[in-house]
Amino acid sequence: MSKVYDLTVIGSGPAGLSAAIYASRYNLKTLVLGMNQGGTITDAHKVCNYPGLPEISGPVLGEKMKEHAEKYGAEVKMGLVEDIEKEEGNFSLVTNLDEKYFSKKIILATGTKRRKLGLDGEDEFMGSGVSYCATCDGKFFEDKIVGVVGGANSAATAALYLADIAEKVYIIYRRDKLRAVDAWKKEIDKKDNIELIFNANVVDLLGGDSLEQVKLDNGESIDLQGLFIEIGSVPKTDLAKDLGVKLKNEYIDVDSKQRTNLDSIWAAGDITTNSNKFKQAITASAEGAIAANDIHKKIKSSN
């Protein structure tokens, strides 16, 4: 058998990388596998609530976490884990890059994926007007008219980022007021080129080769070139389901030590029942640290 890691973390966001930092400091041979180094935090153009860092971009924070984990000896590699099997008492993990790894313990930290509107044409206009990441695609809409669907923090921060790039930004929200924290709402109020449209849902996407207009269920139509969808996320639990990990309301059911119902498998971050009501980098990081600590104690007690 090839090299066997003490711990493999599946997912390279704040939960996974924090777990790797702690596990490596415990001298556990640690591997992190993920396709997006830094996870969804890299979608945030500005993070203002991570302790010790009053203001930092999401991509920079993600990179710093990765470098921190690597400094203590963790191996952070690209790869989407597609299959996990038990083999000779350990787990074998196969990635989309046809790489195979072996591990004694696993932390599932796969995070979430963006929720879609579910409209006809949504997939067709993806990359041609429809986006789920303002920091990724915002530069393509310089001096253009765009919309943001949603009313929580992610929608508010996306709109603020786009307001510095686009000519005009509409925030389209189904409720009668924003749910974002007051700090973001105050910033939005200062922007002359942000217009709020409440009690409305996007019901149709229109255009030719690219998006040109959206229709709302209040009877209005808005001419725009870009629509950024920020209506929350759903946990990525396909691997967990395949393994037989217990779910609760779509999230991985974990205890206070981040243990799942299966021996040698933990979970941390936005996919767990502990985090699903408050998805923040700091809570994800805390869960990763807790899981790594428990794994260290397990391995130490068995030696």
Side-chain angles (χ1 to χ4, degrees):
M1 183 179 288
S2 302
K3 176 180 179 180
V4 178
Y5 292 91
D6 293 312
L7 169 65
T8 295
V9 184
I10 303 174
S12 51
L17 292 173
S18 295
I21 290 168
Y22 275 77
S24 297
R25 283 178 59 82
Y26 290 134
N27 291 320
L28 301 182
K29 288 182 288 187
T30 303
L31 172 66
V32 180
L33 294 171
M35 293 301 291
N36 180 12
Q37 308 305 319
T40 55
I41 194 71
T42 60
D43 293 345
H45 82 285
K46 189 185 295 185
V47 178
C48 301
N49 55 6
Y50 201 83
L53 300 169
E55 185 173 305
I56 188 171
S57 77
V60 172
L61 179 57
E63 181 62 25
K64 284 183 176 292
M65 288 183 175
K66 173 178 176 288
E67 291 173 353
H68 194 165
E70 291 176 327
K71 178 180 179 179
Y72 291 124
E75 297 180 38
V76 183
K77 297 186 178 183
M78 293 288 289
L80 178 67
V81 176
E82 295 184 330
D83 185 60
I84 302 175
E85 303 285 346
K86 272 285 193 177
E87 190 172 322
E88 298 181 27
N90 295 305
F91 293 103
S92 67
L93 303 92
V94 179
T95 74
N96 62 327
L97 304 176
D98 292 326
E99 297 284 353
K100 189 173 185 178
Y101 303 95
F102 297 93
S103 186
K104 297 176 184 177
K105 311 291 183 185
I106 288 175
I107 295 177
L108 298 171
T110 46
T112 58
K113 58 186 176 183
R114 301 288 188 171
R115 194 184 299 276
K116 293 187 174 184
L117 291 172
L119 298 177
D120 291 339
E122 189 170 351
D123 291 337
E124 288 78 0
F125 284 124
M126 177 73 172
S128 298
V130 170
S131 173
Y132 303 88
C133 178
T135 53
C136 306
D137 301 327
K139 292 295 185 183
F140 296 114
F141 297 90
E142 187 172 0
D143 298 326
K144 295 183 178 180
I145 300 172
V146 300
V148 175
V149 181
N153 289 334
S154 60
T157 55
L160 287 167
Y161 174 73
L162 292 166
D164 292 333
I165 298 170
E167 176 186 336
K168 186 176 181 66
V169 180
Y170 292 98
I171 296 179
I172 305 164
Y173 190 40
R174 61 189 176 88
R175 300 188 182 185
D176 59 358
K177 61 182 178 180
L178 296 178
R179 290 172 50 227
V181 298
D182 288 343
W184 295 131
K185 289 191 282 190
K186 289 177 182 178
E187 291 298 315
I188 287 171
D189 288 340
K190 296 176 186 178
K191 295 289 186 180
D192 294 333
N193 62 336
I194 294 181
E195 181 176 336
L196 300 168
I197 300 176
F198 291 123
N199 301 309
N201 294 282
V202 175
V203 293
D204 204 3
L205 307 171
L206 303 172
D209 294 333
S210 61
L211 184 67
E212 297 172 11
Q213 187 183 77
V214 297
K215 285 189 176 182
L216 309 181
D217 59 0
N218 63 4
E220 290 184 48
S221 295
I222 303 173
D223 294 329
L224 45 70
Q225 292 80 52
L227 187 69
F228 293 83
I229 300 167
E230 296 282 355
I231 56 172
S233 56
V234 293
K236 294 192 285 189
T237 55
D238 289 345
L239 272 178
K241 291 176 183 176
D242 291 342
L243 287 165
V245 172
K246 181 183 176 183
L247 303 183
K248 185 177 181 180
N249 297 325
E250 298 185 62
Y251 292 84
I252 296 177
D253 193 19
V254 293
D255 64 12
S256 61
K257 296 179 180 179
Q258 304 303 133
R259 296 176 183 176
T260 72
N261 62 303
L262 299 183
D263 184 49
S264 298
I265 298 179
W266 285 252
D270 291 354
I271 56 169
T272 75
T273 49
N274 288 346
S275 277
N276 71 333
K277 290 183 174 63
F278 192 54
K279 297 182 179 70
Q280 297 288 302
I282 189 171
T283 52
S285 296
E287 289 194 17
I290 291 168
N293 176 258
D294 192 51
I295 290 167
H296 168 246
K297 290 178 179 178
K298 278 264 190 181
I299 291 177
K300 187 176 180 181
S301 65
S302 64
N303 290 338

